[in-house]
Amino acid sequence: MPNKVRKAVFPVGGLGTRFLPATKAMPKEMLPVVDKPLIQYAVEEARAAGIEEFIFVTGRGKTTIEDHFDHSYELESVLNERNKQSLLKELQASVPKPGSIAYIRQQEPLGLGHAVWCAKRLVGDEPFAVILADDLILADTPCLAQMAAAREQAGGGNMLAVMEVPKAHTSRYGILSPGKETDNLIEITGLVEKPAPEKAPSNMAVIGRYILEPTIFSLLEKQQRGAGNEIQLTDALSEMLGDVPFYGMKFDGTRYDCGDKIGFLEANIAFALHRTDMQDDMRDIVKKIANNL
Ligand code: UTP
């Protein structure tokens, strides 16, 4: 039986330049989809997969994330006075248990690989998940829970969430070389970060959900800068190929790139259409706008 995955790392140290000016003074992970910040969806997804410890790799200007996952006594007492009990309960339930949440600062945004490496001591010697909050996934079974179940069946190792992308977009993602494919699992035989379409080994892209063996840390430690002059997680991962079971999982669900303005707008519409309390109104609005185009 592979070790259970108990810890998740949330790298939130990026600058979010694709979403300026919104992200000038506000972390992109705090952008709300409908009424909830992206980072809260990510934490809820982790909880649903059985994660018990939440490790945030933060950077400058990210303190609102810490405040979001803490009690706000003033607000809670006002909600109590105004008898808004269900809202109060909802807010209190979103605060992780004392001692289960930790923050470590990535002093320079040197890339995703470097951000994950910063969590080394907090993760220790056990498998862990990585969730990129700006990749938001709408799914019946949360994506990380799908991956944890698939990883148990595969006997442990690395499990990455993957999806098909248009060939013209391969230079935006880590792209895999596919080996044997069974049901929704693809054995990964190669990985390359942001290849040009003519050099891409496939159009299967890695998106922001990973379950990783802790041996990644020693590889990240000596990782040189790669694509975009950043320390890339993909480069360290490709050095683990052949050493551990290594799979990509074609998850059930739809992924929205909320680090990108169009992806973020699409996510808001899709999530609102999915919510029973607003889908009727939202459908009317979308129809009205479409009819006026
Ligand atoms: P992105 O590639 O989206 O980079 O990072 P970014 O800086 O956040 O945004 P853009 O491209 O400038 O608009 C993917 C994930 O890795 C984290 C980001 O916070 C995001 O969740 N990241 C990236 C870090 O934590 N540290 C880094 O140095 C880079």
Side-chain angles (χ1 to χ4, degrees):
M1 261 304 254
N3 287 352
K4 188 177 169 321
V5 184
R6 299 183 314 115
K7 299 186 179 182
V9 174
F10 302 86
V12 293
L15 295 177
T17 55
R18 282 172 296 151
F19 224 123
L20 284 166
T23 46
K24 187 178 170 201
M26 180 177 97
K28 79 172 159 187
E29 296 79 12
M30 286 301 290
L31 289 168
V33 167
V34 184
D35 56 4
K36 219 189 296 181
L38 289 169
I39 193 67
Q40 193 176 332
Y41 287 99
V43 165
E44 286 173 4
E45 183 178 330
R47 270 184 174 163
I51 297 295
E52 297 159 8
E53 289 187 36
F54 308 85
I55 301 163
F56 288 73
V57 182
T58 69
R60 284 174 155 276
K62 304 276 178 167
T63 46
T64 49
I65 296 179
E66 296 184 36
D67 291 339
H68 186 75
F69 290 106
D70 204 346
H71 286 285
S72 166
Y73 289 108
E74 203 178 302
L75 179 63
E76 288 177 17
S77 85
V78 170
L79 291 177
N80 198 26
E81 273 163 31
R82 296 189 185 166
N83 212 16
K84 299 200 168 184
Q85 296 303 330
S86 78
L87 204 47
L88 177 61
K89 273 203 188 117
E90 194 185 319
L91 284 195
Q92 287 171 334
S94 70
V95 176
K97 281 195 210 138
S100 69
I101 189 159
Y103 299 89
I104 192 155
R105 194 102 161 205
Q106 183 191 23
Q107 286 126 327
E108 272 182 279
L110 296 178
L112 176 60
H114 180 256
V116 171
W117 175 80
C118 288
K120 178 176 188 257
R121 288 194 187 175
L122 293 171
V123 170
D125 192 23
E126 60 180 286
F128 64 103
V130 177
I131 298 190
L132 306 188
D134 48 355
D135 270 344
L136 183 60
I137 299 172
L138 186 57
D140 291 337
T141 305
C143 183
L144 192 65
Q146 296 179 37
M147 292 168 68
R151 179 178 171 278
E152 276 200 13
Q153 286 210 327
N158 288 346
M159 180 72 61
L160 318 183
V162 300
M163 61 181 257
E164 259 180 71
V165 296
K167 193 82 180 169
H169 294 176
T170 56
S171 58
R172 300 179 190 176
Y173 299 91
I175 299 291
L176 60 90
S177 303
K180 227 170 62 192
E181 196 169 333
T182 342
D183 300 325
N184 61 347
L185 283 195
I186 306 175
E187 205 180 317
I188 299 181
T189 59
L191 275 169
V192 51
E193 184 63 27
K194 299 189 171 53
E198 62 281 8
K199 291 202 173 143
S202 74
N203 65 342
M204 289 305 293
V206 177
I207 58 113
R209 300 289 182 279
Y210 309 76
I211 298 178
L212 304 176
E213 291 293 334
T215 41
I216 188 77
F217 290 119
S218 54
L219 299 168
L220 284 170
E221 179 114 25
K222 44 184 173 38
Q223 204 59 54
Q224 302 294 314
R225 290 177 189 242
N229 203 27
E230 292 192 333
I231 298 174
Q232 295 290 352
L233 182 60
T234 310
D235 295 341
L237 284 173
S238 67
E239 291 179 37
M240 291 173 88
L241 292 163
D243 292 344
V244 293
F246 209 135
Y247 292 97
M249 193 196 72
K250 292 194 279 180
F251 56 96
D252 278 333
T254 310
R255 170 256 186 189
Y256 299 93
D257 178 5
C258 292
D260 170 80
K261 293 172 190 175
I262 293 292
F264 173 77
L265 294 172
E266 193 185 357
N268 268 285
I269 296 169
F271 273 69
L273 285 171
H274 198 73
R275 288 249 309 234
T276 46
D277 60 334
M278 54 179 74
Q279 58 194 191
D280 292 344
D281 288 342
M282 193 64 194
R283 213 174 281 128
D284 289 346
I285 291 167
V286 171
K287 273 189 203 148
K288 209 190 295 167
I289 293 174
N291 287 340
N292 288 331
L293 289 178

